Amino acid sequence: VNAEIIAVGSEMLTPSKLDTNSLFLTARLNELGVEVQAKSIVGDDPHLLTAAIRIALDRSEIVILSGGLGPTMDDLTREAASAATSRPLEFHGEILRLIEARFRRMNRTPTENNRKQAEILEGAEILVNPNGTAPGQWIEASGRVLMLLPGPPREIEPMFVDQCLPRLRALLPPVVIRTLFWRITGLGESQVDALVAPVYSRYSNPVTTILASLGDIQLHLRAHAATAAEADALLDPVAREMEPLLGDHLYSKEGLSLEEVIAQRLVERGETLAVAESVTGGMVSTRLTAVPGASRWFAGSMTAYTEGAKVRPLGVDPEILQLHSAVSGPVAEQMATRARVLLDADWGIATTGFAGPEGGDPDSPVGTVFLASSHPSRETQALKVRFLGDRERVRQLSTQAALDLLRRQLA
Ligand code: ATP
């Protein structure tokens, strides 16, 4: 079943106001197995709005309008819906009395305009609005549903949950939604999409969504079916085909963050971790210690920012520092090993680099970062990476890459 949402109101066509109602509605609809196939924002223009409603009813089984039910001249949703459906508006005295009672409770008197809000499309069911004046309307005809709902979130949200969802559930076949939450790092959004699109584009159920944030991609696979087993059976072949394409960039199939994956692995292995940070200035440790129960596996960290701090107390060999400079592979390796030894941990990880905007050298321009992990049973070898972007971006990507380096070592 497909739905379409129309947000009504010219203010949402300005730079200062967003249509958030459609996000709320989409989340609730998806839970019923209904996909939103189109949404639009239409300004306060009767012709545009009538046309938009006609088009929506033509192609979507469920059409939801939010906003434009107020009492003023530019609240046009009722009139436009009436024109688009060829259903006349009927005045309901009992609604006006409810509106008048509400105004009395607020010690105000309704204006002549409020009469408009008591006009209901012929054949519509009235959706009461305990949080505002304008009632909503539910129109069901020839297998389609049209809803006229108020604009303010505090009015539309309870109205939708309490009055529209039960009606929709009664109309729709029972549905179970199963979602896979995958997390990926080390690839850009377009790279992930290029890898998996040949698979997911062949399916409309499950639906695939790719969400990207700095250095981290979430891939959601959502299937709906009559039972959980059927939904899983829909997910299974798609997941099995996609998984090898992502290789070891896919770091969690349960929606866990990198630091949560690291925490799990360290607890499983009964090992502990120490951190030495230069370019990331504590960001790696901040993410790690955000995981509840970190004291079981996080020994501690040191932000060794200056050369002096790297030598003492951390204990990097001053000769190595002189020979290779503070931003170098050998120094990153020593930082990781020294953090591990100093804090008596099983693992050590370290970051050192040029976040910019100033600094860098010909071999290692701004954005160059060395990462290292150290463990007594493994060779310590630094990883050199180069990130583009401003200081904050370089620091965040370095943090992510340091955590990913350790995650790979723990795999
Ligand atoms: P009212 O009964 O309060 O007059 P209405 O149905 O006429 O409600 P609008 O006048 O269109 O609603 O909008 C009222 C307020 O609701 C807007 O100022 C805005 O803050 C909020 N609003 C409207 N539409 C949306 C939307 N799609 N997303 C988020 N907020 C919205």
Side-chain angles (χ1 to χ4, degrees):
V1 176
N2 288 318
E4 179 155 354
I5 300 169
I6 303 173
V8 185
S10 295
E11 57 177 354
M12 278 167 299
L13 297 170
T14 66
S16 47
K17 184 84 200 168
L18 274 176
D19 156 36
T20 54
N21 286 344
S22 68
L23 305 181
F24 169 83
L25 295 168
T26 302
R28 299 290 86 74
L29 290 165
N30 287 168
E31 286 161 12
L32 294 179
V34 175
E35 297 300 330
V36 173
Q37 64 172 359
K39 62 178 179 176
S40 47
I41 299 170
V42 181
D44 304 315
D45 177 295
H47 303 294
L48 283 177
L49 187 53
T50 304
I53 299 171
R54 282 212 180 100
I55 293 167
L57 283 170
D58 204 41
R59 63 189 179 189
S60 301
E61 290 146 300
I62 298 171
V63 176
I64 306 179
L65 288 145
S66 90
L69 294 179
T72 62
M73 284 292 290
D74 57 9
D75 287 306
L76 301 158
T77 301
R78 275 176 297 266
E79 288 78 359
S82 164
T85 58
S86 309
R87 286 168 184 253
L89 287 167
E90 296 171 341
F91 174 73
H92 283 238
E94 78 279 11
I95 296 176
L96 186 61
R97 280 188 291 281
L98 279 175
I99 294 173
E100 285 166 348
R102 184 180 166 80
F103 272 80
R104 269 199 303 279
R105 284 201 298 279
M106 297 187 293
N107 280 326
R108 285 166 49 200
T109 37
T111 59
E112 184 56 26
N113 292 342
N114 287 111
R115 259 187 87 85
K116 256 179 63 154
Q117 296 185 291
E119 291 179 348
I120 300 295
L121 262 68
E122 184 187 77
E125 288 177 49
I126 298 162
L127 307 171
V128 293
N129 185 355
N131 305 298
T133 49
Q137 305 192 28
W138 169 282
I139 301 107
E140 217 180 297
S142 40
R144 313 248 136 175
V145 177
L146 172 67
M147 288 171 242
L148 315 189
L149 305 178
R154 57 182 290 275
E155 298 181 27
I156 189 172
E157 291 181 8
M159 185 182 286
F160 190 74
V161 170
D162 297 339
Q163 300 176 72
C164 303
L165 281 184
R167 284 176 166 85
L168 282 174
R169 276 199 201 95
L171 283 180
L172 297 167
V175 70
V176 177
I177 309 280
R178 301 280 278 186
T179 309
L180 296 181
F181 296 95
W182 286 6
R183 300 199 55 171
I184 297 145
T185 192
L187 294 173
E189 183 181 9
S190 53
Q191 286 173 295
V192 170
D193 195 59
L195 288 170
V196 296
V199 180
Y200 75 68
S201 57
R202 305 202 313 270
Y203 299 86
S204 59
N205 185 18
V207 173
T208 302
T209 317
I210 297 175
L211 304 160
S213 57
L214 203 53
D216 203 87
I217 312 273
Q218 299 196 23
L219 194 153
H220 297 175
L221 286 170
R222 194 177 71 245
H224 55 85
T227 65
E230 283 173 47
D232 287 341
L234 289 168
L235 284 172
D236 211 45
V238 189
R240 240 179 312 161
E241 206 178 330
M242 265 189 203
E243 194 179 331
L245 302 174
L246 296 165
D248 62 0
H249 295 290
L250 174 62
Y251 67 81
S252 174
K253 294 200 277 177
E254 287 88 39
L256 298 181
S257 64
L258 265 183
E259 49 274 33
E260 286 168 330
V261 171
I262 288 170
Q264 261 188 3
R265 300 259 162 84
L266 287 171
V267 168
E268 277 161 23
R269 299 164 69 114
E271 291 181 326
T272 58
L273 169 67
V275 182
E277 300 190 56
S278 187
V279 64
T280 48
M283 291 164 75
V284 174
S285 312
T286 301
R287 279 183 57 180
L288 289 167
T289 52
V291 181
S295 59
R296 285 168 72 192
W297 50 269
F298 185 79
S301 74
M302 178 175 173
T303 299
Y305 215 64
T306 60
E307 292 197 1
K310 287 182 180 74
V311 173
R312 240 153 58 103
L314 187 55
V316 172
D317 182 344
E319 276 181 29
I320 294 213
L321 200 67
Q322 285 312 313
L323 197 63
H324 300 278
S325 93
V327 178
S328 67
V331 167
E333 289 163 12
Q334 282 223 335
M335 287 171 70
T337 304
R338 286 300 306 156
R340 173 171 70 72
V341 172
L342 207 62
L343 288 156
D344 197 20
D346 300 296
W347 291 89
I349 53 172
T351 66
T352 179
F354 293 118
E358 256 107 68
D361 58 45
D363 282 344
S364 300
V366 165
T368 302
V369 176
F370 291 88
L371 309 164
S373 77
S374 163
H375 187 273
S377 73
R378 289 167 199 240
E379 189 192 354
T380 303
Q381 203 169 29
L383 178 71
K384 181 179 186 177
V385 278
R386 172 95 198 276
F387 299 117
L388 299 179
D390 63 15
R391 184 174 176 83
E392 192 46 32
R393 193 179 146 86
V394 170
R395 279 153 49 88
Q396 287 204 25
L397 289 172
S398 304
T399 303
Q400 179 80 354
L403 294 173
D404 194 41
L405 174 69
L406 177 64
R407 189 267 308 181
R408 286 164 183 275
Q409 297 280 316
L410 290 168

